[in-house]
Amino acid sequence: MTPLLGLSPAKLEAFVALLGEKPFRAKQLSRWLHQRLVGDIAQMTDLSKAFRDKLAATALIEGPRVIRDTTASDGTRKWLLDAGNGNAVEAVYIPEDDRGTLCISSQAGCALDCSFCSTGRQGFNRNLTTAEIVGQLWHANRTLLADGIDVPWVAHGRAPITNVVMMGMGEPLANYDNVVAALELFLDDNAYGLSRRRVTLSTSGIVPMIDRLANDCPVALAVSLHAPDDALRDQIVPINRKHPITDLLAACGRYLPNAPRDFVTFEYVMLDGVNDSIEQAHALARLVRDVPCKLNLIPFNPFPGTAYRASPRERIRAFAQVLSHAGITTTIRKTRGDDIDAACGQLAGRVQDRVKRRLATRIAVAN
């Protein structure tokens, strides 16, 4: 049975053609799936009975199975989703006054082993399929609508989720083909219809894949930088040993001509006594001064077993002031959902690590 949620627009059209139907039927089917969020083929009433029968015999609509659904005091909502064979991933809904953002996972675990990230501590099991990636958005929209979410844009015909960030569990560019197929659905006018400016992909810096994304499906780009020099970044972001900062910044420069925004966002988690000194702030300002960018400083969010601590708030503000005085747009991310472990760096899910972490890191870095 073909999972319909995982078919990109081109693949859905090809699938419909195999069933003997005309191309416009693919657009109709896509609107039922991704805009009306229907989970039952029988309800697709403007498709012929014969077509629905063929779909029922060859395809299925299968969203994720929810293991746990938790809401934080600030309204952030986290779903723990079954990924099979003892694995589970997490998706997080972040409500704001003018938008609803969904943070989506791309892998069960992560092979990159960034030392400050809860996901990386678990190791890696497998890539998520396109259907599993898209299913997170499909499920979130359906669930929020069913719960009667009260936001003004829904009353005007828009879905609850207005922004998607590929910042959940896993490295999106290490699952390139499935992630790009999902991005195409997020952007397609007959599917979710999001603008490229409202879809952000966050990467630790797999340089060849950044170049591919620029040509294949450029969306807003966020890069997990976290250090002002290679020596420190080698320690806390191991992929840097394969793709050092100079190569990474060059890739960002090549990405911008195709990007929906005229800047790259650099994410920088603030680790007490590790990367948060005033001297490091000045070094960071010098490092990125030639790349149109925004710096997003992220207060470290603790998780069980970590040796890191969050930088004091006043030190984060002083760090930000150095960057701002250097002419770099700088923000300090507001922590959301930390009381349910849904904040940045805290997503852990449940992963049966099938590769020893050091071996997995070597594989990821080699790619």
Side-chain angles (χ1 to χ4, degrees):
M1 300 287 278
T2 299
L4 292 176
L5 291 181
L7 296 182
S8 67
K11 288 185 176 179
L12 186 60
E13 187 171 313
F15 176 71
V16 166
L18 285 175
L19 297 182
E21 299 289 336
K22 295 181 179 180
F24 79 91
R25 293 296 186 192
K27 294 182 175 63
Q28 285 182 296
L29 179 54
S30 183
R31 290 192 289 268
W32 278 110
L33 290 169
H34 304 295
Q35 294 181 2
R36 300 183 187 180
L37 304 167
V38 166
D40 183 356
I41 292 168
Q43 295 178 10
M44 301 179 180
T45 51
D46 65 350
L47 303 181
S48 70
K49 176 69 162 55
F51 183 26
R52 281 181 280 159
D53 288 343
K54 286 185 281 189
L55 286 172
T58 58
L60 76 162
I61 306 169
E62 185 176 36
R65 187 180 76 83
V66 177
I67 299 172
R68 187 163 61 247
D69 181 346
T70 314
T71 301
S73 57
D74 63 5
T76 298
R77 188 167 179 178
K78 181 174 73 171
W79 292 284
L80 181 69
L81 306 172
D82 184 15
N85 299 318
N87 298 293
V89 299
E90 293 179 332
V92 177
Y93 164 65
I94 306 162
E96 297 179 77
D97 290 341
D98 59 346
R99 60 188 174 273
T101 300
L102 187 69
C103 181
I104 287 179
S105 294
S106 57
Q107 297 178 309
C110 184
L112 298 193
D113 199 24
C114 296
S115 60
F116 51 84
C117 178
S118 181
T119 303
R121 291 286 297 270
Q122 295 180 101
F124 173 76
N125 188 271
R126 68 174 178 87
N127 289 328
L128 298 186
T129 66
T130 301
E132 290 172 321
I133 297 168
V134 174
Q136 295 170 64
L137 178 56
W138 185 81
H139 166 78
N141 275 327
R142 275 171 56 94
T143 301
L144 293 169
L145 286 172
D147 290 351
I149 184 171
D150 183 20
V151 289
W153 55 87
V154 168
H156 290 86
R158 294 171 64 193
I161 303 299
T162 64
N163 294 61
V164 167
V165 292
M166 298 294 305
M167 295 181 182
M169 295 174 63
E171 163 57 61
L173 294 185
N175 185 14
Y176 186 84
D177 290 341
N178 289 329
V179 165
V180 167
L183 294 177
E184 290 173 350
L185 283 167
F186 298 161
L187 302 172
D188 186 70
D189 287 341
N190 292 297
Y192 297 95
L194 300 175
S195 79
R196 293 180 188 274
R197 295 171 62 88
R198 290 180 175 269
V199 178
T200 300
L201 183 143
S202 176
T203 177
S204 294
I206 304 179
V207 167
M209 298 297 102
I210 293 175
D211 288 330
R212 282 187 63 185
L213 188 69
N215 292 315
D216 294 344
C217 192
V219 293
L221 184 68
V223 174
S224 297
L225 192 57
H226 307 310
D229 58 74
D230 284 322
L232 178 58
R233 197 165 189 267
D234 283 351
Q235 295 177 36
I236 62 177
V237 185
I239 193 69
N240 195 72
R241 301 167 198 163
K242 176 67 175 178
H243 304 296
I245 291 175
T246 299
D247 295 346
L248 178 56
L249 296 185
C252 291
R254 294 190 296 271
Y255 190 88
L256 281 172
N258 294 333
R261 299 181 182 273
D262 59 1
F263 62 87
V264 171
T265 298
F266 289 121
E267 298 168 315
Y268 195 97
V269 65
M270 300 294 293
L271 303 171
D272 184 26
V274 176
N275 65 353
D276 62 349
S277 71
I278 294 300
E279 293 76 18
Q280 288 168 316
H282 285 290
L284 180 60
R286 292 192 296 270
L287 179 70
V288 303
R289 63 188 172 192
D290 294 328
V291 179
C293 65
K294 180 178 79 172
L295 256 295
N296 189 8
L297 305 182
I298 305 170
F300 174 67
N301 297 299
F303 54 86
T306 183
Y308 291 116
R309 295 178 300 174
S311 301
R313 199 71 185 180
E314 60 272 16
R315 195 179 307 151
I316 297 176
R317 286 195 290 265
F319 197 97
Q321 190 172 42
V322 169
L323 297 170
S324 296
H325 284 172
I328 300 167
T329 301
T330 304
T331 59
I332 300 172
R333 181 178 293 177
K334 181 180 179 181
T335 298
R336 300 291 302 271
D338 55 329
D339 55 332
I340 58 169
D341 293 336
C344 182
Q346 289 185 315
L347 299 191
R350 188 173 66 225
V351 177
Q352 300 295 320
D353 188 7
R354 63 179 175 82
V355 185
K356 287 186 178 179
R357 194 175 301 141
R358 288 185 181 176
L359 175 59
T361 301
R362 289 199 297 271
I363 292 171
V365 169
N367 291 333

